[in-house]
Amino acid sequence: MTLRVRILAYDGVEALDFAGPFEVFTTASRVSRRMDAATQAPFEVASVALASSDQPVRARAGLRLLADHDLAENPGADVLIVPGGVVDGPMASPATLRWIADCAAGAQLVASVCTGVFLLAKSGVVAHEAVTTHWEDIADLREQFPALDVREGERWVDSGRVVSSAGISAGIDMSLYLVERLAGRALAERTAHQMDYAWTSCSNPSA
């Protein structure tokens, strides 16, 4: 079964928050087909943005992205990834928050990278769960959403249906963990090797 991975894009998104998970899941599908050409690719990856698909999203450092879908198309997701970045715009966008909530309701797994967890909290996807974010934003997350169990010093936190990661590059480690959880350890390890990436496969590297 091929799982539909949908990654949210918006003006101000951190480029690696978006591109890291995109690279992990697309590479995992490519590697999986090499391992067994007769099997279906485990993941089908697409991006979603508020703007129409012919209008570029400008990432935080200026990189322009063209999303595969706009929110109005309401593409379904088995795995929803919400990257971080400068989240003021999507936090103030009822359409974006509503789409996150609706898409998450039908998803098997929801994951955030960095400050993407603020969007999950604002949209009501997380309310009391254990979560994490970039070290620089831990205090703000606790202040804005005091009911959350905000964890510090974790590379990612698995709360069951919701998984959140710390900042930027931690989204790659979390995404490899999600590949392991959804498609097995062997594929996750081969994906990391194909990416020439030193995978931190433990959520707390100091543990």
Side-chain angles (χ1 to χ4, degrees):
M1 175 183 175
T2 300
L3 297 175
R4 300 164 298 168
V5 179
R6 302 293 178 253
I7 307 176
L8 181 65
Y10 53 87
D11 286 337
V13 69
E14 188 77 45
L16 191 58
D17 282 22
F18 173 91
F22 187 94
E23 184 72 16
V24 168
F25 286 104
T26 55
T27 300
S29 283
R30 190 168 72 249
V31 169
S32 175
R33 295 303 303 275
R34 287 181 186 171
M35 292 166 64
D36 185 353
T39 63
Q40 286 185 317
F43 307 109
E44 180 263 310
V45 185
S47 54
V48 188
L50 177 62
S52 64
S53 55
D54 62 349
Q55 294 179 319
V57 170
R58 185 180 290 274
R60 186 175 190 178
L63 179 69
R64 293 187 178 191
L65 308 168
L66 282 176
D68 299 298
H69 303 281
D70 61 43
L71 300 188
E73 294 175 57
N74 198 27
D78 299 300
V79 180
L80 171 62
I81 309 284
V82 179
V86 181
V87 295
D88 297 4
M91 287 276 281
S93 168
T96 301
L97 296 174
R98 183 167 55 250
W99 181 83
I100 291 171
D102 291 347
C103 189
Q108 177 180 335
L109 274 175
V110 180
S112 64
V113 182
C114 194
T115 53
V117 73
F118 285 79
L119 296 174
L120 295 187
K122 183 73 171 179
S123 61
V125 175
V126 292
H128 305 284
E129 291 87 347
V131 295
T132 194
T133 189
H134 191 287
W135 59 265
E136 196 171 41
D137 300 290
I138 291 285
D140 283 346
L141 186 61
R142 285 173 173 158
E143 181 179 352
Q144 292 186 39
F145 303 99
L148 289 174
D149 177 10
V150 179
R151 304 287 178 86
E152 193 168 3
E154 302 283 339
R155 198 73 173 151
W156 71 85
V157 173
D158 185 342
S159 295
R161 202 174 72 88
V162 177
V163 182
S164 56
S165 85
I168 311 178
S169 65
I172 299 175
D173 290 323
M174 178 193 70
S175 296
L176 287 163
Y177 167 72
L178 294 178
V179 170
E180 177 186 9
R181 180 171 156 177
L182 295 166
R185 177 80 179 188
L187 180 57
E189 290 179 339
R190 291 193 186 195
T191 299
H193 182 61
Q194 178 65 35
M195 292 173 61
D196 213 357
Y197 181 74
W199 178 27
T200 301
S201 59
C202 169
S203 66
N204 184 352
S206 64

